[in-house]
Amino acid sequence: MLSYAGTAMRLWHDLDRPIAGRRVPGSVPVMLASAFVGLVVDAFVVPTGFNLAYSDAQSHLTIARRLFDTASGAGIQQLGTVWLPMPHLLLAPMVLSRWMWHTGWGAAVLGSICLGATACCVYRSVARWGGVGRLAWWELLSW
């Protein structure tokens, strides 16, 4: 148990290290923590079905599933012309499982991955602007 606490403290102190070249210390912990928070929230929301309450969410999942499972011939032509294809291409591996498609877990997992990537990018941007330390975070929130 002490090794986990030591690792957590090391990662916390890494947030204050200066940026050297392209490396921004703390990017990976921020990404993993935010993706974990997204998955925890998904664990509460997905069983209720609220993640599929908006019909647009169901449409995106159905279009992504149509890439593999349609009577008129599966393939890229199933993307259609109205929707931009990127969300459906990103969802495609997640909806290969019928259970993940039917429950919406495929989109929930993808959303958590995207949350982690976005949080990491925002953290890296803020770090590049000079807001790396713990006090700098408070200053950024207060303006």
Side-chain angles (χ1 to χ4, degrees):
M1 187 61 147
L2 290 176
S3 65
Y4 292 124
T7 303
M9 289 303 294
R10 184 182 50 78
L11 291 174
W12 179 255
H13 290 297
D14 280 351
L15 297 177
D16 284 333
R17 280 198 342 221
I19 299 170
R22 294 180 52 90
R23 296 194 57 129
V24 177
S27 297
V28 174
V30 167
M31 180 180 66
L32 293 176
S34 58
F36 177 74
V37 167
L39 287 173
V40 168
V41 170
D42 291 340
F44 287 104
V45 173
V46 171
T48 65
F50 284 138
N51 60 327
L52 298 176
Y54 187 52
S55 62
D56 198 38
Q58 293 174 351
S59 299
H60 286 296
L61 284 167
T62 303
I63 291 171
R65 181 67 188 185
R66 245 188 349 217
L67 292 171
F68 307 107
D69 193 24
T70 183
S72 64
I76 201 86
Q77 68 271 14
Q78 296 299 327
L79 286 175
T81 58
V82 176
W83 300 102
L84 294 173
M86 187 53 76
H88 310 119
L89 293 174
L90 290 172
L91 274 172
M94 304 292 184
V95 297
L96 281 172
S97 163
R98 278 187 194 252
W99 175 79
M100 287 183 78
W101 167 63
H102 182 70
T103 59
W105 265 108
V109 169
L110 179 65
S112 295
I113 292 169
C114 291
L115 175 67
T118 302
C120 180
C121 290
V122 168
Y123 172 77
R124 289 175 65 88
S125 297
V126 168
R128 296 266 179 210
W129 293 332
V132 216
R134 284 174 239 138
L135 293 176
W137 280 100
W138 180 253
E139 291 170 10
L140 283 172
L141 293 175
S142 64
W143 56 267

